[in-house]
């Protein structure tokens, strides 16, 4: 299942390289000198206790906040100071820790609007969306996510788990090369977690829809992370404690003591 990709140096250029990233909030060192890289096609997990800086790291990589120091490179290009729209147009997609679906729109329209935003339509939230040629892609994702039976329901009428699926599907509408997922299983019924994992594996592999997307996934559900990710980074108090394969992370004594133990 987990087939570790070739690591740094030998497998060509990383899709994402983060070097010495730092972000403080007053006296709080939210992210403190974090460095790692993600290879094309890799599923890279980020784990760590609450408040260890995982979401702050994401927000920096997405241009939502400006880091105090450090560098973020996408395919070798310095994007440290790019905003969210610029990053999205360079192929970075995301899902949020909290749901971001439009409850009063249908599932299908949510997907179409997500792609229109990628294309920079200022008016996409103000008018009922037309198809914009995106319907075929929305339909392909609706089938892949097995949500055809609710495609024409208002998203707000779905269960939390189903809304979460819509939220994840929205991130894939812009055909991203790199997707950052912040806790895709949070609040989801345990019976749906395996389905999300299967889906992400399909999207990672499927050249038509996922285009061999690389993922960075924050998640507290250890079974999910260990099964899905090629490599995992452990953050503790804003710093990197370890990076390794699931087997290496499971066997790391320092990680066991600080996070995985008991
Ligand atoms: N906008 C902010 N203003 C002030 N402090 C912040 C802000 N955002 C995050 N922090 C602080 O930075 C630290 C890291 O927070 P962050 O949300 O990145 O952690 P996390 O690893 O995502 O946690 P969780 O697993 O609970 O989602 C915490 O101490 C948090 O309180
Ligand atoms: Mg978080």
């Amino acid at each position: 299942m987990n087939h570790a990709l070739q690591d740094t140096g030998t497998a060509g250029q990383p899709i994402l390289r983060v070097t010495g990233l730092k972000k403080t909030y007053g006296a709080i060192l939210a992210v403190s000198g974090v460095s790692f890289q993600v290879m094309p096609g890799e599923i890279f997990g980020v784990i760590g206790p609450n408040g260890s800086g995982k979401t702050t790291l994401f927000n920096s990589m997405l241009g939502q906040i400006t880091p105090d120091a450090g560098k973020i490179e996408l395919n070798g290009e310095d994007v440290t100071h790019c905003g969210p729209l610029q990053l999205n147009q360079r192929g970075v997609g995301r899902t949020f820790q909290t749901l971001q679906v439009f409850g009063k729109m249908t599932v299908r329209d949510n997907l179409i609007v997500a792609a229109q935003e990628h294309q920079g339509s200022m008016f996409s939230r103000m008018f009922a969306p037309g198809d914009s040629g995106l319907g075929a892609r929305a339909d392909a994702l609706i089938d892949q996510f097995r949500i055809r039976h609710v495609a024409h329901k208002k998203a707000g009428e779905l269960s939390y788990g189903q809304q979460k699926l819509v939220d994840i599907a929205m991130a894939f509408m812009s055909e991203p090369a790199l997707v950052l997922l912040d806790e895709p299983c949070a609040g989801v019924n345990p019976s749906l977690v395996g389905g999300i994992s299967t889906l992400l594996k399909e999207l990672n592999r499927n050249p038509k829809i996922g285009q061999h997307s690389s993922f960075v996934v924050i998640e507290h559900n250890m079974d999910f992370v260990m099964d899905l990710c090629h490599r995992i980074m452990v953050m503790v108090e804003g710093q990197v404690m370890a990076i390794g394969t699931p087997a290496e992370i499971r066997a790391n004594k320092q990680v066991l003591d600080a996070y995985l133990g008991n």
Side-chain angles (χ1 to χ4, degrees):
M1 266 183 261
N2 283 306
H3 36 282
L5 299 181
Q6 272 188 294
D7 203 343
T8 58
T10 52
Q13 178 163 265
I15 184 163
L16 174 71
R17 179 183 277 138
V18 173
T19 314
L21 203 76
K22 191 176 156 198
K23 177 70 189 176
T24 55
Y25 290 110
I28 299 171
L29 275 169
V31 174
S32 179
V34 167
S35 301
F36 64 95
Q37 53 189 39
V38 177
M39 303 309 292
E42 188 171 31
I43 306 182
F44 188 85
V46 181
I47 63 174
N50 292 117
S52 56
K54 304 180 299 294
T55 296
T56 306
L57 173 69
F58 262 30
N59 287 337
S60 309
M61 297 194 290
L62 288 153
Q64 237 106 25
I65 58 175
T66 310
D68 300 327
K71 194 170 172 186
I72 300 160
E73 290 161 278
L74 205 59
N75 291 311
E77 185 193 359
D78 188 345
V79 295
T80 317
H81 299 288
C82 285
L85 185 61
Q86 286 172 297
L87 285 167
N88 196 233
Q89 285 167 343
R90 282 174 168 78
V92 183
R94 87 169 300 180
T95 70
F96 291 84
Q97 191 164 349
T98 49
L99 278 176
Q100 303 282 325
V101 300
F102 300 104
K104 294 195 168 136
M105 278 187 195
T106 67
V107 165
R108 192 170 181 276
D109 285 348
N110 264 282
L111 263 61
I112 289 169
V113 165
Q116 283 172 334
E117 293 202 339
H118 167 74
Q119 292 173 351
S121 165
M122 294 164 61
F123 303 107
S124 58
R125 287 190 187 194
M126 295 164 64
F127 301 105
D131 189 282
S132 315
L134 297 164
R137 180 158 178 83
D139 286 327
L141 281 168
I142 283 166
D143 288 337
Q144 174 129 22
F145 278 70
R146 293 125 178 129
I147 48 176
R148 167 65 54 203
H149 56 298
V150 293
H152 295 287
K153 276 197 177 171
K154 286 184 179 159
E157 292 168 3
L158 308 187
S159 72
Y160 185 85
Q162 282 177 324
Q163 289 190 50
K164 200 83 180 169
L165 284 179
V166 175
D167 198 48
I168 297 171
M170 285 166 75
F172 284 90
M173 275 300 287
S174 58
E175 309 193 276
L178 174 69
V179 188
L180 312 185
L181 301 114
D182 197 347
E183 302 199 21
C185 301
V188 170
N189 188 305
S191 65
L192 276 179
V193 168
I196 293 178
S197 179
T198 304
L199 249 177
L200 291 177
K201 284 178 192 171
E202 278 173 21
L203 288 160
N204 175 240
R205 266 187 248 117
N206 186 333
K208 261 204 200 123
I209 292 183
Q211 297 190 324
H212 300 297
S213 292
S214 309
F215 304 152
V216 185
V217 188
I218 296 175
E219 190 42 69
H220 288 286
N221 183 324
M222 279 313 116
D223 291 339
F224 175 86
V225 169
M226 295 287 173
D227 173 61
L228 177 69
C229 299
H230 301 115
R231 286 189 307 143
I232 296 166
M233 173 167 81
V234 186
M235 287 183 70
V236 175
E237 294 179 2
Q239 297 186 322
V240 177
M241 174 172 276
I243 298 178
T245 63
E248 286 164 352
I249 294 301
R250 260 204 209 95
N252 184 309
K253 172 131 187 9
Q254 206 188 357
V255 173
L256 282 170
D257 290 346
Y259 184 51
L260 293 181
N262 61 63

